[in-house]
Every structure is written in structure tokens, then in C-alpha cells.
Amino acid sequence: MPTAELATESATLDLGARLGAELRAGDLVLLDGPLGAGKTVLARGVAAGMGVTGQVTSPTFVIARVHHPAEGDGPALVHVDAYRLGGLDEIDDLDLDTDLTDAAVVVEWGEGVAEHLSEDYLVLRIHRREDDVREITFEPHGERWVRWLADHPGFV
């Protein structure tokens, strides 16, 4: 699986922005990694690439935030933090599958609770090394993301 090494926060933001520019309504991206790995930084980059409004911060206590495009007709970004969710029932209560009709959904801590929202989703696994370099592995699930990675060989 393709892996990127990101030595700085700005490199993480840039990767997120490049990915965000590619997202469309219906896309589901799960961010996996321990506390402090850079999930929210990556989500901020995605938001910048999508051109959405509002400050992107960790939605830990509000669970989900919706950010609308600043201009144009691009999709909204639904940014979710599943860390405090107890399981599938609680994520179902958020109606994220409905949001997928007109938004891209990015879920921090989503593995194990959000995969069922779509057959096509991308997992970004973030590993923070001792030297503070982030290694981000792109793990595609479903035809959309397998094809997308094949069509963008130099992206990562």
C-alpha cells in the first residue's frame, strides 16, 4: 500500500489539501492513528483543499461538525470524531449515511465504527515515528478508492 513520509505539519496539511481537492460528495475517509498522530491536522488540510468555511478543530466533544464550501457548488465536509462513540448504534444515530449524499465525510477514530457507511472508503493510517515524522499509509476499500489510487500513482 502506498505510504507517504511527512516531516512537518505543513507537509501534512499539504497532503490533506491535495486529497481534499479530489474529494466529492459520497466519499468516506477514515483517519486512524494514536493521540497526537496528526489526524486533525490532516483533516484541516482536507478542509482547505475542499475550500470549506469554518475553523477545523477536533470535534471530540461535539462529535461532528459540518463545513460548507465557501463558494461554488462543491460538497460540504462532515468532520467526525468517533473517539467517544460507544459503537455502531451511536454512529448510526448521527445519520452520516444521509450526509454522504451531499458531503464528503472524514471520520477520526472511525475504524471499527464507520466502515459500514459505504462500500467505498479510504483509510489513512498515521504512524508518528520517534523523530516526529508521520508515515501515512493509504488503504483503499472498494472500487472507487482502488481505482483512484491506480489513477494517481504519484499522489503519495
Side-chain angles (χ1 to χ4, degrees), residues 119-121 140-149:
E119 290 181 13
D120 294 300
Y121 60 95
H141 296 266
E143 184 178 332
R144 152 85 169 129
W145 290 107
V146 168
R147 187 176 341 113
W148 185 84
L149 279 172

PDB file of all heavy atoms in Angstrom, residues 119-121 140-149:
ATOM      1  N   GLU A 119     -19.554   1.188   0.888  1.00  0.00           N
ATOM      2  CA  GLU A 119     -18.709   0.089   0.392  1.00  0.00           C
ATOM      3  C   GLU A 119     -17.349   0.621  -0.030  1.00  0.00           C
ATOM      4  O   GLU A 119     -16.367  -0.107  -0.029  1.00  0.00           O
ATOM      5  CB  GLU A 119     -19.385  -0.591  -0.798  1.00  0.00           C
ATOM      6  CG  GLU A 119     -20.605  -1.385  -0.433  1.00  0.00           C
ATOM      7  CD  GLU A 119     -21.221  -2.066  -1.653  1.00  0.00           C
ATOM      8  OE1 GLU A 119     -20.567  -2.123  -2.720  1.00  0.00           O
ATOM      9  OE2 GLU A 119     -22.354  -2.532  -1.530  1.00  0.00           O
ATOM     10  N   ASP A 120     -17.317   1.887  -0.412  1.00  0.00           N
ATOM     11  CA  ASP A 120     -16.082   2.532  -0.863  1.00  0.00           C
ATOM     12  C   ASP A 120     -15.618   3.510   0.202  1.00  0.00           C
ATOM     13  O   ASP A 120     -16.320   4.471   0.522  1.00  0.00           O
ATOM     14  CB  ASP A 120     -16.321   3.305  -2.167  1.00  0.00           C
ATOM     15  CG  ASP A 120     -16.659   2.387  -3.326  1.00  0.00           C
ATOM     16  OD1 ASP A 120     -15.839   1.525  -3.655  1.00  0.00           O
ATOM     17  OD2 ASP A 120     -17.753   2.554  -3.891  1.00  0.00           O
ATOM     18  N   TYR A 121     -14.440   3.272   0.749  1.00  0.00           N
ATOM     19  CA  TYR A 121     -13.876   4.206   1.716  1.00  0.00           C
ATOM     20  C   TYR A 121     -12.363   4.075   1.701  1.00  0.00           C
ATOM     21  O   TYR A 121     -11.797   3.090   1.241  1.00  0.00           O
ATOM     22  CB  TYR A 121     -14.443   3.989   3.124  1.00  0.00           C
ATOM     23  CG  TYR A 121     -14.195   2.624   3.721  1.00  0.00           C
ATOM     24  CD1 TYR A 121     -13.102   2.393   4.557  1.00  0.00           C
ATOM     25  CD2 TYR A 121     -15.046   1.561   3.450  1.00  0.00           C
ATOM     26  CE1 TYR A 121     -12.876   1.149   5.110  1.00  0.00           C
ATOM     27  CE2 TYR A 121     -14.825   0.313   3.996  1.00  0.00           C
ATOM     28  CZ  TYR A 121     -13.748   0.106   4.826  1.00  0.00           C
ATOM     29  OH  TYR A 121     -13.515  -1.125   5.369  1.00  0.00           O
ATOM     30  N   PRO A 140      -7.011   1.570   0.460  1.00  0.00           N
ATOM     31  CA  PRO A 140      -8.282   1.729  -0.248  1.00  0.00           C
ATOM     32  C   PRO A 140      -9.214   0.550  -0.024  1.00  0.00           C
ATOM     33  O   PRO A 140      -8.774  -0.598   0.072  1.00  0.00           O
ATOM     34  CB  PRO A 140      -7.847   1.793  -1.710  1.00  0.00           C
ATOM     35  CG  PRO A 140      -6.632   0.923  -1.768  1.00  0.00           C
ATOM     36  CD  PRO A 140      -5.942   1.122  -0.435  1.00  0.00           C
ATOM     37  N   HIS A 141     -10.496   0.838   0.057  1.00  0.00           N
ATOM     38  CA  HIS A 141     -11.534  -0.189   0.158  1.00  0.00           C
ATOM     39  C   HIS A 141     -12.616   0.150  -0.866  1.00  0.00           C
ATOM     40  O   HIS A 141     -13.132   1.264  -0.864  1.00  0.00           O
ATOM     41  CB  HIS A 141     -12.137  -0.241   1.564  1.00  0.00           C
ATOM     42  CG  HIS A 141     -11.157  -0.635   2.604  1.00  0.00           C
ATOM     43  ND1 HIS A 141     -11.003  -1.942   3.007  1.00  0.00           N
ATOM     44  CD2 HIS A 141     -10.253   0.093   3.314  1.00  0.00           C
ATOM     45  CE1 HIS A 141     -10.055  -1.990   3.933  1.00  0.00           C
ATOM     46  NE2 HIS A 141      -9.587  -0.779   4.129  1.00  0.00           N
ATOM     47  N   GLY A 142     -12.930  -0.790  -1.713  1.00  0.00           N
ATOM     48  CA  GLY A 142     -13.955  -0.569  -2.724  1.00  0.00           C
ATOM     49  C   GLY A 142     -13.367  -0.042  -4.018  1.00  0.00           C
ATOM     50  O   GLY A 142     -12.250   0.467  -4.078  1.00  0.00           O
ATOM     51  N   GLU A 143     -14.165  -0.179  -5.060  1.00  0.00           N
ATOM     52  CA  GLU A 143     -13.717   0.163  -6.409  1.00  0.00           C
ATOM     53  C   GLU A 143     -13.297   1.619  -6.549  1.00  0.00           C
ATOM     54  O   GLU A 143     -12.306   1.937  -7.202  1.00  0.00           O
ATOM     55  CB  GLU A 143     -14.844  -0.151  -7.399  1.00  0.00           C
ATOM     56  CG  GLU A 143     -14.470   0.062  -8.838  1.00  0.00           C
ATOM     57  CD  GLU A 143     -15.597  -0.295  -9.779  1.00  0.00           C
ATOM     58  OE1 GLU A 143     -16.423  -1.162  -9.438  1.00  0.00           O
ATOM     59  OE2 GLU A 143     -15.644   0.313 -10.858  1.00  0.00           O
ATOM     60  N   ARG A 144     -14.030   2.548  -5.959  1.00  0.00           N
ATOM     61  CA  ARG A 144     -13.725   3.983  -6.102  1.00  0.00           C
ATOM     62  C   ARG A 144     -12.291   4.284  -5.691  1.00  0.00           C
ATOM     63  O   ARG A 144     -11.542   4.925  -6.409  1.00  0.00           O
ATOM     64  CB  ARG A 144     -14.720   4.798  -5.263  1.00  0.00           C
ATOM     65  CG  ARG A 144     -14.215   6.144  -4.742  1.00  0.00           C
ATOM     66  CD  ARG A 144     -14.343   7.295  -5.668  1.00  0.00           C
ATOM     67  NE  ARG A 144     -14.090   8.580  -5.009  1.00  0.00           N
ATOM     68  CZ  ARG A 144     -13.247   9.466  -5.494  1.00  0.00           C
ATOM     69  NH1 ARG A 144     -12.569   9.225  -6.593  1.00  0.00           N
ATOM     70  NH2 ARG A 144     -13.085  10.636  -4.899  1.00  0.00           N
ATOM     71  N   TRP A 145     -11.884   3.804  -4.513  1.00  0.00           N
ATOM     72  CA  TRP A 145     -10.572   4.170  -3.991  1.00  0.00           C
ATOM     73  C   TRP A 145      -9.446   3.336  -4.585  1.00  0.00           C
ATOM     74  O   TRP A 145      -8.330   3.833  -4.758  1.00  0.00           O
ATOM     75  CB  TRP A 145     -10.578   4.129  -2.468  1.00  0.00           C
ATOM     76  CG  TRP A 145     -11.402   5.263  -1.955  1.00  0.00           C
ATOM     77  CD1 TRP A 145     -12.645   5.196  -1.388  1.00  0.00           C
ATOM     78  CD2 TRP A 145     -11.082   6.645  -2.036  1.00  0.00           C
ATOM     79  NE1 TRP A 145     -13.106   6.451  -1.094  1.00  0.00           N
ATOM     80  CE2 TRP A 145     -12.161   7.362  -1.490  1.00  0.00           C
ATOM     81  CE3 TRP A 145      -9.979   7.357  -2.525  1.00  0.00           C
ATOM     82  CZ2 TRP A 145     -12.169   8.754  -1.410  1.00  0.00           C
ATOM     83  CZ3 TRP A 145      -9.991   8.740  -2.436  1.00  0.00           C
ATOM     84  CH2 TRP A 145     -11.072   9.419  -1.889  1.00  0.00           C
ATOM     85  N   VAL A 146      -9.716   2.079  -4.910  1.00  0.00           N
ATOM     86  CA  VAL A 146      -8.697   1.273  -5.585  1.00  0.00           C
ATOM     87  C   VAL A 146      -8.380   1.907  -6.938  1.00  0.00           C
ATOM     88  O   VAL A 146      -7.212   2.092  -7.303  1.00  0.00           O
ATOM     89  CB  VAL A 146      -9.169  -0.191  -5.740  1.00  0.00           C
ATOM     90  CG1 VAL A 146      -8.262  -0.963  -6.674  1.00  0.00           C
ATOM     91  CG2 VAL A 146      -9.241  -0.871  -4.371  1.00  0.00           C
ATOM     92  N   ARG A 147      -9.431   2.294  -7.671  1.00  0.00           N
ATOM     93  CA  ARG A 147      -9.246   2.931  -8.984  1.00  0.00           C
ATOM     94  C   ARG A 147      -8.571   4.291  -8.825  1.00  0.00           C
ATOM     95  O   ARG A 147      -7.676   4.640  -9.591  1.00  0.00           O
ATOM     96  CB  ARG A 147     -10.585   3.077  -9.706  1.00  0.00           C
ATOM     97  CG  ARG A 147     -10.426   3.582 -11.125  1.00  0.00           C
ATOM     98  CD  ARG A 147     -11.715   3.663 -11.949  1.00  0.00           C
ATOM     99  NE  ARG A 147     -12.812   2.879 -11.467  1.00  0.00           N
ATOM    100  CZ  ARG A 147     -13.948   3.410 -10.966  1.00  0.00           C
ATOM    101  NH1 ARG A 147     -14.120   4.708 -10.900  1.00  0.00           N
ATOM    102  NH2 ARG A 147     -14.918   2.621 -10.556  1.00  0.00           N
ATOM    103  N   TRP A 148      -9.002   5.066  -7.822  1.00  0.00           N
ATOM    104  CA  TRP A 148      -8.435   6.394  -7.634  1.00  0.00           C
ATOM    105  C   TRP A 148      -6.930   6.315  -7.385  1.00  0.00           C
ATOM    106  O   TRP A 148      -6.157   7.070  -7.975  1.00  0.00           O
ATOM    107  CB  TRP A 148      -9.130   7.102  -6.461  1.00  0.00           C
ATOM    108  CG  TRP A 148      -8.673   8.515  -6.303  1.00  0.00           C
ATOM    109  CD1 TRP A 148      -9.143   9.615  -6.970  1.00  0.00           C
ATOM    110  CD2 TRP A 148      -7.630   8.988  -5.443  1.00  0.00           C
ATOM    111  NE1 TRP A 148      -8.466  10.735  -6.566  1.00  0.00           N
ATOM    112  CE2 TRP A 148      -7.528  10.386  -5.630  1.00  0.00           C
ATOM    113  CE3 TRP A 148      -6.790   8.366  -4.533  1.00  0.00           C
ATOM    114  CZ2 TRP A 148      -6.604  11.161  -4.936  1.00  0.00           C
ATOM    115  CZ3 TRP A 148      -5.869   9.142  -3.849  1.00  0.00           C
ATOM    116  CH2 TRP A 148      -5.793  10.522  -4.054  1.00  0.00           C
ATOM    117  N   LEU A 149      -6.497   5.406  -6.523  1.00  0.00           N
ATOM    118  CA  LEU A 149      -5.062   5.273  -6.261  1.00  0.00           C
ATOM    119  C   LEU A 149      -4.311   4.805  -7.496  1.00  0.00           C
ATOM    120  O   LEU A 149      -3.194   5.262  -7.757  1.00  0.00           O
ATOM    121  CB  LEU A 149      -4.810   4.329  -5.080  1.00  0.00           C
ATOM    122  CG  LEU A 149      -4.980   4.957  -3.707  1.00  0.00           C
ATOM    123  CD1 LEU A 149      -4.895   3.909  -2.612  1.00  0.00           C
ATOM    124  CD2 LEU A 149      -3.953   6.052  -3.456  1.00  0.00           C
TER     125      LEU A 149
END
